[in-house]
Amino acid sequence: MNADAKPAIVVVRRFDASPERVFDAWLDPQIARQWLFSTPDGEMVRAETDARVGGRFTFTERRDGEDIEHVGEYLVVDRPSRLVFTFAVPKYSTEYDRVTVEIRRLDKGCELTLTNEMSPEIYREWGERTRSGWTMLLDGLAALLGDEKRA
Amino acid sequence: MVERTSAHLDAVFHALSDATRRAMLSQLSSGPRSVGELAAPFSMTFAGASKHVKVLESAGLVRREVQGRTHVCRLDAARLSEADAWLRHYERFWTTKLDKLEELLIADADRQKPGKGSAQ
């Protein structure tokens, strides 16, 4: 086990769509603007991606008259199986998370595994705002940390 | 407090990165245990178990009291709960996004149905 493993969450989801369609949905600005960093009440005012290794993205959403920018850089772009990017919301934090999207082809559709490794710095800022007792779920937490998945 | 929180979170995740320590926390979630009791399932020495307890203690996850010759350990859930809440916030974020993506893909597939089947 890696001693400085970062806190991470893993979300797995199956889709009926092909791996290519699911992969492209992350990078095609016309599709990504509809779901990726959008919220129900916001208005996406800018969605730009430079979908290559070292390329950057910007998604700006207007929420209550305020522009919230989501930025990051693509680290791995391997269509249709693997996408890795950094991600930050500069308004809230200068720290970057790292998101890995892995897509595995199934007989019908595909399975997507998303891993979000977080910078503990973000926790400091976030934690201060929401310091209240949410329910403790030890098993859930252990599963989320999932070192057995990494091996 | 503010500047300590992040270091605390590192300590919490370090403590949780070990399967033995996670198993110890599980044991403690059903009530206080002595260090000897915590060591038992792992056929571990007192010193070995005590080392793990020390890591849990420094992360603020466990409190140890010395009662005579016995060291009694108790779970301190507050810190764990914070870390958990933080992770869940992210989990919800991505779950919501993927829900939306799924919706879009389904709507798009329906639109294409009269045509020649699935797109590349």
Side-chain angles (χ1 to χ4, degrees), chain A residues 37-45 60-64 66:
Chain A
F37 297 115
S38 67
T39 54
D41 304 320
E43 179 203 352
M44 191 61 73
V45 292
T60 307
E61 196 183 46
R62 193 160 293 159
R63 296 176 196 160
D64 296 326
E66 201 181 12

Side-chain angles (χ1 to χ4, degrees), chain B residues 20-21 24 27 34-57 64 73:
Chain B
T20 305
R21 290 195 288 270
M24 287 177 163
Q27 272 183 279
S34 70
V35 174
E37 285 171 323
L38 287 175
F42 308 103
S43 53
M44 194 181 263
T45 61
F46 179 88
S50 188
K51 229 174 163 179
H52 282 299
V53 169
K54 214 167 258 166
V55 175
L56 292 169
E57 263 187 300
R64 182 190 330 219
C73 302

Side-chain angles (χ1 to χ4, degrees), chain B residues 62-114:
Chain B
V62 163
R63 274 172 298 151
R64 182 190 330 219
E65 286 163 32
V66 182
Q67 297 177 353
R69 313 181 97 202
T70 314
H71 291 217
V72 177
C73 302
R74 272 170 224 286
L75 187 66
D76 189 348
R79 189 67 60 191
L80 192 56
S81 167
E82 262 176 42
D84 190 50
W86 184 62
L87 289 176
R88 274 174 201 287
H89 168 76
Y90 274 81
E91 194 184 37
R92 262 203 323 276
F93 174 83
W94 285 114
T95 302
T96 312
K97 297 301 173 201
L98 294 176
D99 284 348
K100 182 73 186 155
L101 171 60
E102 196 173 7
E103 247 174 61
L104 278 174
L105 290 169
I106 289 171
D108 197 36
D110 285 347
R111 218 172 299 135
Q112 290 180 5
K113 242 174 209 156

